[in-house]
């Protein structure tokens, strides 16, 4: 048998080895199998389409130089992409690169499948090593469905983008879809809901949810075990990849670099990426710019703190799911006192249920007041503007929505000014944000309200007493 191709490739490798870092050599050149040399065309077998793309992108110069040195100026290079299992990826065609005078070009031929390569060699970081059939568990929690996700102004854009993505993964402009917002506002839930719905609509699509931390751990393991290729190949065959808490990759340059290649590959192949983050992409620190700029290709949608109405609906839904009936006053009490995020709202409900069951107490407002106040004090809550409006309205026996009504009625104007004054003194909200939440006023109106209230406190005893009473109620 003619071993000329082996000789030529080994000579090329000797030069390449001296010119690329050892880890790159091991990753990208050792797995290559030289197959044939005919008419100055060297055929190399590579394990995947991505592998070939990566070689083309990163190493074409050195390949071109070494080949020309070995075979002459009309040297050509062909890649034989051997997909080792039919369901690893769509059968991508055989690609040929010609490192000629005009740089590289590619053309296609059918894939060749050697008979001795039937076993799956890509290791799946989600299954026990040794299991040959590649079954990917999507790692989705069925509770995190769209049906269980309450819609409100706080999440409307993100939710509808999520529905659109799950109906047409990879086929909308929302790629990647970046969901961001503070902790406990439903990013994981929504991202998983997209995965669940996609699986319902497209059973044959490979969906995978993974936290950025898990991704990082798998990557470190893969490097330690010399399996970086397997790691890359595994991720590049996913149709819908959901990575949670992407901010956790900050400062992890190597992982980011690998994720960059996975991202590119998936995006170019029309696959869907869904990322969650605790900050808007523009505010993410410690991330490579090339990654950040890619995050901005699609849609970034934020999740905000739910307003009072949405909190009430979330509580009703959670109680219903747990099979308990709660009086409206109990739900309203929780919704007006637990305002930080949905996770705390859930926690409050669970504490209430636990106390009532364990101590055999009736689940009524009295119990709710005791439990919630204890909880809220422990979490050093910041008062919400919603709650301030509620307390002020209760104090003056006004319906809460009256503050939003455009009117010059003195008692309403004054209640609104008092609500603005307390929002300014007891929350961190800006004048503009206070104004927009209380009667859709501008910042100048809020400033004027604060001055008026301060003046009245100094000059009107009766007024000051009212303010002190409201203050006490708010800090109860
Ligand atoms: N709109 C909603 N409707 C119903 N449940 C919700 C909603 N938003 C959040 N939740 C619930 O609140 C809890 C916290 O949500 P989730 O874990 O998705 O938050 P997160 O934003 O991912 O938080 P973190 O950044 O801390 O991971 C979950 O149990 C989730 O089901």
């Amino acid at each position: 048998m003619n071993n000329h191709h082996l000789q030529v490739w080994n000579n090329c490798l000797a030069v390449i080895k001296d010119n690329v870092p050892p880890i790159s050599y091991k990753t990208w050149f050792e797995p290559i199998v030289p197959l044939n040399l005919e008419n100055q065309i060297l055929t190399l077998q590579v394990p995947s389409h991505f592998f070939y793309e990566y070689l083309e992108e990163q190493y074409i110069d050195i390949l071109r130089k070494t080949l020309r040195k070995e075979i002459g100026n009309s040297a050509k290079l062909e890649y034989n992409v051997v997909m080792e299992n039919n369901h690893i990826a769509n059968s991508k065609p055989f690609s040929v690169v010609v490192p000629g005078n005009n740089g590289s070009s590619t053309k296609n031929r059918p894939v060749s499948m050697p008979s001795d390569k039937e076993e799956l060699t890509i290791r799946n970081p989600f299954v026990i090593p040794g299991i040959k059939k590649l079954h990917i568990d999507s790692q989705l929690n069925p509770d995190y469905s769209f049906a269980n996700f309450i819609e409100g102004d706080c999440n409307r854009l993100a939710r509808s983008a999520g529905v659109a993505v799950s109906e047409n993964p990879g086929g909308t402009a929302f790629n990647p879809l970046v969901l961001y917002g503070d902790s406990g506002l439903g990013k994981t839930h929504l991202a998983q809901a997209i995965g669940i719905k996609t699986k319902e609509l497209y059973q044959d699509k490979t969906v995978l949810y993974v936290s950025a931390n898990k991704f990082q751990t798998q990557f470190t393991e893969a490097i330690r075990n010399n399996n970086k290729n397997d790691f890359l190949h595994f991720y590049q065959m996913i149709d819908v990849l959901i990575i949670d808490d992407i901010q956790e990759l900050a400062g992890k340059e190597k992982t980011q670099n690998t994720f960059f290649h996975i991202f590119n590959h998936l995006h170019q192949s029309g696959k869907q990426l869904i990322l969650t983050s605790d900050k808007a992409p523009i505010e993410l620190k410690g991330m490579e710019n090339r990654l950040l700029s890619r995050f901005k290709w699609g849609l970034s949608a934020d999740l905000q703190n739910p307003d009072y109405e949405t909190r009430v609906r979330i509580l009703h839904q959670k109680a219903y799911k747990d099979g308990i009936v709660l009086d409206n006053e109990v739900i309203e009490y929780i919704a007006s006192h637990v305002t930080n995020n949905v996770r705390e709202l859930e926690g409050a409900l669970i504490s209430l249920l636990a106390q009532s069951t364990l101590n055999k107490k009736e689940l009524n407002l009295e119990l709710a007041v005791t439990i919630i106040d204890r909880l809220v004090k422990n979490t050093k809550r910041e008062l919400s503007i919603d709650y301030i409006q509620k307390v002020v309205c209760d104090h003056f026996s006004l319906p809460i929505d009256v503050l939003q009504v455009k009117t010059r009625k003195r008692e309403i104007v004054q209640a609104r000014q008092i609500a603005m004054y307390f929002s300014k003194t007891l929350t961190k909200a800006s004048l503009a944000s206070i104004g927009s939440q209380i009667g859709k006023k501008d910042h100048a109106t809020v400033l004027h309200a604060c001055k008026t209230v301060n003046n009245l406190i100094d000059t009107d005893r009766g007024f000051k007493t009212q303010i002190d009473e409201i203050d006490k109620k708010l800090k109860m």
Side-chain angles (χ1 to χ4, degrees):
M1 197 177 153
N2 180 0
N3 281 338
H4 188 41
H5 61 290
L6 292 179
Q7 183 67 49
V8 165
W9 181 237
N10 282 338
N11 292 346
C12 292
L13 282 183
V15 178
I16 293 169
K17 198 171 188 174
D18 286 341
N19 285 282
V20 304
I23 180 79
S24 309
Y25 180 81
K26 206 170 176 52
T27 310
W28 299 106
F29 292 94
E30 281 190 0
I32 296 174
V33 182
L35 293 179
N36 190 25
L37 176 61
E38 223 179 300
N39 301 328
Q40 292 185 299
I41 302 173
L42 178 68
T43 308
L44 299 179
Q45 179 183 304
V46 292
S48 74
H49 193 72
F50 172 71
F51 203 103
Y52 138 73
E53 283 174 352
Y54 194 86
L55 285 173
E56 277 274 90
E57 190 188 307
Q58 302 289 327
Y59 299 111
I60 192 61
D61 285 343
I62 190 152
L63 281 167
R64 183 186 292 135
K65 277 187 196 135
T66 49
L67 270 179
R68 281 189 184 161
K69 189 165 157 280
E70 286 302 314
I71 324 176
N73 269 351
S74 47
K76 288 181 181 165
L77 184 61
E78 288 191 351
Y79 293 100
N80 191 348
V81 180
V82 177
M83 311 299 272
E84 292 175 338
N85 184 306
N86 276 336
H87 72 272
I88 294 175
N90 302 333
S91 284
K92 284 271 160 61
F94 182 108
S95 298
V96 183
V97 56
V98 188
N101 295 331
N102 305 327
S104 66
S105 65
T106 58
K107 57 182 178 162
N108 298 324
R109 282 220 226 132
V111 181
S112 76
M113 301 283 285
S115 55
D116 60 346
K117 280 277 179 183
E118 272 157 21
E119 273 192 5
L120 175 65
T121 56
I122 294 179
R123 246 160 258 130
N124 171 354
F126 285 91
V127 296
I128 306 143
I131 294 181
K132 291 203 179 101
K133 173 137 175 44
L134 193 67
H135 168 71
I136 296 181
D137 178 343
S138 293
Q139 315 280 317
L140 295 168
N141 174 348
D143 282 345
Y144 285 163
S145 61
F146 274 119
N148 291 338
F149 189 80
I150 300 292
E151 184 174 349
D153 286 346
C154 53
N155 58 36
R156 188 157 288 117
L157 171 72
R159 189 186 176 283
S160 45
V163 171
V165 161
S166 51
E167 285 170 353
N168 189 7
T172 69
F174 313 145
N175 199 14
L177 175 63
V178 181
L179 304 170
Y180 69 93
D182 288 342
S183 180
L185 294 183
K187 301 181 293 291
T188 302
H189 187 143
L190 185 53
Q192 290 230 1
I194 301 171
I196 292 171
K197 177 113 189 156
T198 306
K199 271 309 246 184
E200 273 166 24
L201 296 174
Y202 305 92
Q203 271 120 31
D204 55 339
K205 287 225 186 279
T206 311
V207 176
L208 180 69
Y209 165 89
V210 62
S211 69
N213 272 333
K214 193 165 193 174
F215 181 85
Q216 161 73 23
T217 314
Q218 289 175 347
F219 176 70
T220 316
E221 285 278 296
I223 296 289
R224 189 178 319 129
N225 301 329
N226 265 330
N227 288 338
K228 188 175 165 200
N229 283 349
D230 292 346
F231 180 81
L232 275 169
H233 297 159
F234 173 79
Y235 275 97
Q236 74 178 25
M237 67 190 171
I238 308 295
D239 296 313
V240 177
L241 178 61
I242 306 167
I243 303 204
D244 204 359
D245 292 323
I246 198 82
Q247 76 278 354
E248 300 286 340
L249 297 188
K252 315 256 167 60
E253 278 165 30
K254 286 188 183 132
T255 318
Q256 282 182 35
N257 185 40
T258 300
F259 178 56
F260 174 77
H261 290 294
I262 292 169
F263 184 106
N264 276 351
H265 179 86
L266 293 181
H267 200 273
Q268 277 162 21
S269 331
K271 306 297 171 61
Q272 179 71 43
L273 289 122
I274 299 156
L275 311 171
T276 80
S277 160
D278 67 352
K279 289 183 196 62
I282 203 162
E283 289 169 26
L284 277 174
K285 301 256 152 51
M287 285 284 188
E288 282 189 40
N289 279 337
R290 56 184 188 160
L291 261 183
L292 290 182
S293 68
R294 274 160 177 78
F295 291 172
K296 291 179 211 148
W297 280 353
L299 176 76
S300 300
D302 67 332
L303 292 167
Q304 292 182 350
N305 224 346
D307 55 20
Y308 174 77
E309 305 300 327
T310 313
R311 293 200 294 274
V312 167
R313 281 190 290 128
I314 290 176
L315 284 168
H316 272 298
Q317 184 242 19
K318 305 267 173 210
Y320 176 80
K321 246 184 95 224
D322 289 338
I324 41 165
V325 183
L326 285 181
D327 285 346
N328 279 345
E329 55 179 9
V330 173
I331 294 231
E332 282 163 16
Y333 190 83
I334 306 175
S336 39
H337 285 74
V338 183
T339 55
N340 275 352
N341 62 50
V342 186
R343 188 175 290 125
E344 283 184 12
L345 211 54
E346 278 182 349
L349 193 61
I350 292 166
S351 302
L352 197 60
L353 290 181
Q355 286 291 338
S356 127
T357 320
L358 294 175
N359 301 327
K360 301 205 169 49
K361 284 191 178 155
E362 203 190 325
L363 217 166
N364 54 19
L365 184 60
E366 196 189 340
L367 182 68
V369 171
T370 321
I371 305 291
I372 301 304
D373 283 7
R374 208 184 303 150
L375 269 182
V376 167
K377 276 195 188 109
N378 283 343
T379 51
K380 287 211 182 80
R381 124 191 91 106
E382 185 194 313
L383 290 175
S384 74
I385 295 175
D386 279 347
Y387 181 61
I388 291 171
Q389 295 187 74
K390 185 175 185 311
V391 171
V392 171
C393 288
D394 282 353
H395 181 82
F396 293 114
S397 304
L398 295 169
I400 180 161
D401 48 0
V402 88
L403 297 190
Q404 309 299 336
V405 176
K406 219 175 179 186
T407 170
R408 288 177 182 269
K409 260 188 161 176
R410 201 174 162 270
E411 56 170 359
I412 296 171
V413 171
Q414 193 160 74
R416 193 154 50 213
Q417 288 180 330
I418 293 172
M420 288 176 173
Y421 162 83
F422 277 113
S423 301
K424 183 66 198 129
T425 47
L426 298 179
T427 77
K428 292 192 199 109
S430 66
L431 294 172
S433 152
I434 295 170
S436 78
Q437 291 180 67
I438 308 180
K440 302 215 164 31
K441 302 289 178 190
D442 62 14
H443 78 285
T445 311
V446 182
L447 202 58
H448 174 70
C450 295
K451 274 190 194 150
T452 309
V453 172
N454 275 318
N455 283 340
L456 284 171
I457 291 174
D458 290 342
T459 54
D460 181 338
R461 254 213 196 150
F463 184 83
K464 183 174 182 312
T465 313
Q466 304 264 18
I467 294 292
D468 288 344
E469 277 174 23
I470 299 172
D471 190 49
K472 212 178 279 167
K473 285 182 187 166
L474 282 168
K475 291 179 179 162
M476 229 165 53

